[in-house]
């Protein structure tokens, strides 16, 4: 009651929720797995303003106090929860060896960004807060690596991740069916413009393919939802994810097949490259947006698009100076 009374003087009626927030924060600090899972699930589920349905989720990324958003608070709680768990159980902090160089490079880049931004006139608080997304990339992989997980819990979490990707795919297809999202090529609606959902769906699709290739007997429901994942990724019209998915499939195939099968990857890769090249050189008469989008995968058109963006950036810089 005292906390709510004090918070009402600062936040108004919203201060009544502060005691509940304090209790939830205490629970998350005591349960590191729940804290990290909550952050990941909310970030995957809550889309920005470009998503046509469940538009209220965009408020999840709004600033709640000065330059701090609700996501920042939850990430800080998750990282602190993992740190407290290491201290309680006297476990040593582990950093994934393959990520040492990338994480150190990222940390040095963040420090450089703060110094340059502060020297250019930005306040130190604003310069640090502006790098919050980079902070997620720096801290969350370390937090996940230091969770105390047994094999059974890892299996459950991976199954939950696949189910979450399926839910996102269904929501994206509903958005397309209702023409509620961002339009593409002027005649269609895409599923997800922002990268998070497309990345999660692509990883889930590759995971199912890897299970099939390894004969790991994936659950039946995972096989049944695979067409939904493929359809959602295809209707995102994100060419970078199309290319990434094809390369990912080739990589999984290379790692999961016999030496004889691996030798077939080179001609298969050349065949994919030739198909993309021919696809961009053929003059299609169809007005299907997917065909139009795929036709732009030709290297000459990609280079032309890059040059156009460069020229636009140069003009924007000139206008900014004026």
């Amino acid at each position: 009651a005292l906390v709510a009374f004090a918070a009402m003087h600062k936040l108004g009626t919203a201060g009544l929720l502060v005691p509940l927030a304090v209790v939830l924060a205490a629970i998350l600090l005591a349960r590191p797995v729940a804290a990290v899972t909550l952050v990941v699930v909310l970030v995957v589920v809550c889309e920005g303003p470009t998503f046509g349905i469940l538009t209220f989720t965009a408020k999840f990324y709004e600033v709640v106090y000065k330059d701090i958003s609700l996501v920042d608070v939850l990430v800080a709680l998750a990282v602190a929860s993992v740190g407290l768990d290491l201290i309680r159980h006297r476990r040593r902090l582990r950093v994934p060896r393959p990520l040492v160089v990338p994480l150190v490079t990222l940390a040095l880049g963040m420090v450089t960004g703060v110094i340059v931004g502060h020297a250019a006139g930005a306040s130190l608080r604003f310069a640090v807060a502006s790098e919050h997304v980079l902070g997620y990339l720096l801290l969350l992989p370390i937090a996940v690596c230091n969770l105390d997980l047994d094999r059974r819990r890892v299996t459950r979490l991976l199954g939950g991740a696949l189910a979450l990707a399926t839910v996102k795919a269904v929501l994206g297809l509903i958005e397309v069916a209702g023409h509620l999202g961002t339009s593409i090529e002027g005649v269609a609606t895409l599923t997800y413009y922002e990268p998070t959902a497309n990345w999660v769906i692509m990883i889930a699709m590759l995971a199912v393919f890897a299970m099939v290739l390894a004969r790991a007997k994936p659950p039946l429901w995972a096989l049944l939802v695979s067409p939904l994942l493929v359809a959602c990724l295809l209707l995102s019209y994100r060419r970078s994810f199309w290319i990434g998915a094809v390369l990912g499939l080739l990589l999984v195939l290379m790692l999961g097949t016999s030496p004889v099968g691996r030798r077939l990857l080179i001609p298969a890769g050349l065949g994919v490259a030739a198909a993309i090249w021919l696809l961009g050189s053929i003059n299609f008469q169809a007005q299907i947006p997917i065909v139009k989008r795929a036709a732009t995968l030709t290297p000459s058109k990609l280079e032309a698009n890059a040059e156009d963006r460069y020229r636009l950036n140069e003009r924007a810089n000139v206008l900014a100076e004026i």
Side-chain angles (χ1 to χ4, degrees):
L2 290 175
V3 170
F5 181 76
M8 286 179 63
H9 282 280
K10 186 71 175 178
L11 303 175
T13 308
L16 293 172
L17 299 176
V18 171
L20 178 61
V22 172
V23 173
L24 291 177
I27 294 174
L28 292 178
L29 287 175
R31 298 177 179 273
V33 177
V36 174
T37 303
L38 179 65
V39 171
V40 174
V41 170
L42 286 178
V43 171
V44 172
V45 170
C46 297
E47 289 288 328
T50 60
F51 195 57
I53 59 178
L54 305 177
T55 54
F56 64 91
T57 60
K59 296 181 180 180
F60 180 62
Y61 301 99
E62 294 180 355
V63 174
V64 294
Y65 180 73
K66 294 185 178 180
D67 297 318
I68 300 175
S69 67
L70 182 58
V71 185
D72 298 333
V73 176
L74 291 177
V75 171
L77 284 174
V79 174
S81 179
V82 175
L84 292 175
D85 187 65
L86 291 177
I87 295 173
R88 284 196 301 266
H89 296 89
R90 297 181 180 180
R91 292 188 288 116
R92 190 175 62 178
L93 178 68
R94 294 179 298 169
V95 179
R97 183 176 297 178
L99 296 182
V100 171
V101 173
L103 292 178
V104 171
T105 304
L106 176 59
L108 293 175
M110 292 175 65
V111 172
T112 303
V114 170
I115 295 174
V116 173
H118 184 59
S123 65
L124 185 61
R125 177 177 60 83
F126 178 78
V128 173
S130 298
E131 295 186 341
H132 61 280
V133 176
L134 298 178
Y136 305 162
L137 295 177
L138 180 66
L139 297 175
L140 284 179
I142 300 176
V144 171
C145 180
N146 286 275
L147 291 175
D148 187 14
L149 301 174
D150 55 20
R151 184 180 182 86
R152 183 179 180 184
R153 186 174 290 185
V154 170
T155 303
R156 289 181 177 179
L157 290 174
L158 291 176
L162 181 57
L164 181 60
T166 304
V167 171
K168 291 297 291 184
V170 171
L171 291 176
L173 295 175
I174 292 175
E175 183 190 36
V176 170
H179 301 283
L180 299 173
T182 304
S183 62
I184 185 71
E185 301 292 347
V187 294
T189 303
L190 53 79
T191 51
Y192 295 104
Y193 177 78
E194 296 178 358
T196 302
N198 292 314
W199 182 83
V200 171
I201 290 171
M202 182 182 70
I203 294 299
M205 186 179 66
L206 294 176
V208 173
F209 177 69
M211 285 189 288
V212 173
L213 192 65
R215 298 179 181 179
K217 295 182 180 180
L220 179 61
W221 68 269
L223 298 176
L224 294 177
V225 301
S226 297
L228 298 177
L229 301 175
V230 175
C232 186
L233 187 64
L234 186 63
L235 294 177
S236 70
Y237 300 100
R238 296 298 302 271
R239 295 166 300 182
S240 57
F241 282 98
W242 290 355
I243 297 173
V246 172
L247 294 179
L249 290 172
L250 290 175
L251 181 61
V252 172
L253 188 63
M254 179 184 69
L255 297 176
T257 57
S258 62
V260 177
R262 293 178 186 177
R263 286 195 289 268
L264 298 176
L265 289 179
I266 295 179
L270 293 176
V272 171
I276 292 175
W277 190 283
L278 291 174
L279 187 63
S281 62
I282 296 174
N283 184 19
F284 288 97
Q285 299 297 324
Q287 298 300 315
I288 301 176
I290 291 180
V291 175
K292 288 184 177 181
R293 202 69 173 164
T296 61
L297 288 175
T298 178
S300 59
K301 290 188 177 181
L302 290 175
E303 183 178 350
N305 292 336
E307 292 179 357
D308 292 340
R309 287 194 296 270
Y310 176 77
R311 291 171 184 169
L312 289 175
N313 289 334
E314 287 295 319
R315 293 174 184 174
N317 292 334
V318 172
L319 290 175
E321 292 178 359
I322 294 176

